[in-house]
Amino acid sequence: MSSIWPRAAALGAALALMTPAVALAEGADATALCAQADHPCSVRIDPVVREAAGYPVTVAGATNTATALQAYRVLLDGDRIAALEPYGDPLPVSLNAAGIAQANLVMPKLPAQDAGGYVLVGLAGERGTDVSAMVGSFTVLGASRPTLLGDGYGDQKPVGQVLDLQYYAAVPGTRYTVDMQDDTGAWSDLSAPGQPGDIAASPDAVGHLRYALPRGLASKQYAFRLRNTTLGEVVADWHATPSLSPVARSRTTVWTPPPVGNRIGNSATRHAHRTGPTKLAAAVIVVICLPITLVPGMRAARRRRHLARLALAPAAAPQSRASATGASVTTAEDGR
């Protein structure tokens, strides 16, 4: 029995030498994942997703490396990232000998009070909001409650006029209506009949929900709500006052995300930015080489045409002389 343990230990050591070691990139160590990679590192996901569904994610980076993925909800303050809130659980992944890993990341169902919007899918353990030093990709999350962009007015709304309530980050195919509560507490649908655009398209597309306040309302606050009729859920509510002279208010614009990872030397974002000079250099080479290629070809073509004319000249010469002689004879005969 005593000889078995040394042999087992030797066998374990041999297997350890034969198996590639898997390095662990602790936390959000984007530098370790990218610096040791022989190709651009990246975390890629579809540009649009929806809540309560899973999506394939591709990770590229250093070979034989273990890390973890994490989705983050992007919380905005105007057009600035105020916070990156972890969304769902971290997902461990292991990159193979080619430096690639495939995973299925689930987007959980959002709480009822949270609207869809932008999500960053990157490495677990990120701190701060500077995405230029992170590896990841932005995607738009479609949810039961979309992000409302406004209808062009503030708390005072015009009456008898169709308003265009715009939104984005909705689940495709979802239908919405706007309801108003009257003095008796009953709710009525104010959605303009026959108006297109009340069915959500892609989460990254702006939707249009058209509704109108009826005439004859008292100038006081009324309760309004946005209802997801596909699911039978109320997803937003607000108060507004009918007015004959409402003040217009600009809608919120859809946020444009900044580039991710452009401060990381070997990130896919940096490589994408380098394609501009590369394309310019290629265009310059084409412009320089095009005359060098075309001019000799044009000269050769002219030379071939010249040689072809010379080859035909001896055969045509006797005919020319005969014609000339005939003309002389005819002239002489005419002279006689």
Side-chain angles (χ1 to χ4, degrees):
M1 289 292 293
S2 60
S3 62
I4 294 177
W5 296 108
R7 292 176 183 175
L11 179 60
L15 290 174
L17 292 175
M18 294 172 62
T19 304
V22 176
L24 179 61
E26 296 183 0
D29 194 357
T31 303
L33 186 68
C34 296
Q36 303 174 22
D38 56 4
H39 51 262
C41 60
S42 62
V43 175
R44 299 191 182 278
I45 192 171
D46 293 345
V48 293
V49 296
R50 58 171 294 175
E51 62 180 350
Y55 292 88
V57 179
T58 301
V59 185
T63 61
N64 303 311
T65 301
T67 185
L69 298 175
Q70 176 70 64
Y72 301 88
R73 291 186 62 228
V74 180
L75 306 183
L76 297 173
D77 180 10
D79 60 355
R80 181 182 64 87
I81 300 178
L84 294 175
E85 181 181 85
Y87 171 47
D89 297 325
L91 177 64
V93 294
S94 295
L95 280 68
N96 58 21
I100 301 294
Q102 299 281 346
N104 185 71
L105 186 64
V106 175
M107 303 293 168
K109 172 73 174 175
L110 286 175
Q113 71 274 11
D114 291 342
Y118 272 92
V119 168
L120 174 69
V121 177
L123 303 181
E126 294 288 9
R127 298 292 185 269
T129 59
D130 183 9
V131 298
S132 66
M134 302 178 186
V135 179
S137 297
F138 284 109
T139 182
V140 182
L141 174 72
S144 172
R145 176 174 181 169
T147 294
L148 300 181
L149 302 174
D151 57 15
Y153 291 91
D155 294 336
Q156 293 185 344
K157 309 290 185 185
V159 295
Q161 176 181 329
V162 175
L163 304 179
D164 181 12
L165 177 58
Q166 298 184 7
Y167 61 89
Y168 81 105
V171 174
T174 302
R175 182 182 291 273
Y176 295 99
T177 63
V178 172
D179 301 335
M180 186 190 76
Q181 190 176 35
D182 60 23
D183 293 335
T184 66
W187 292 90
S188 58
D189 183 0
L190 300 183
S191 300
Q195 295 289 336
D198 59 344
I199 299 178
S202 175
D204 60 347
V206 174
H208 300 267
L209 176 56
R210 294 169 174 87
Y211 73 103
L213 274 66
R215 300 181 185 274
L217 295 175
S219 182
K220 64 176 185 178
Q221 274 197 347
Y222 291 87
F224 295 81
R225 68 185 185 184
L226 180 69
R227 187 161 47 93
N228 181 332
T229 60
T230 304
L231 299 179
E233 298 177 351
V234 175
V235 294
D237 57 80
W238 63 94
H239 287 82
T241 302
S243 174
L244 297 177
S245 55
V247 178
R249 177 184 295 178
S250 299
R251 295 180 179 86
T252 303
T253 57
V254 177
W255 181 65
T256 301
V260 182
N262 56 330
R263 286 177 51 199
I264 300 175
N266 196 28
S267 70
T269 306
R270 286 290 296 272
H271 281 261
H273 287 307
R274 291 171 188 164
T275 58
T278 302
K279 292 178 180 178
L280 178 61
V284 172
I285 292 172
V286 169
V287 171
I288 293 174
C289 294
L290 190 59
I292 299 174
T293 305
L294 292 179
V295 170
M298 295 170 62
R299 290 175 178 171
R302 287 198 297 268
R303 189 179 299 112
R304 287 193 296 270
R305 289 194 296 269
H306 178 66
L307 292 176
R309 287 195 296 270
L310 292 178
L312 293 174
Q319 182 180 0
S320 300
R321 285 195 297 271
S323 300
T325 304
S328 301
V329 171
T330 305
T331 304
E333 292 176 349
D334 288 344
R336 286 199 302 269

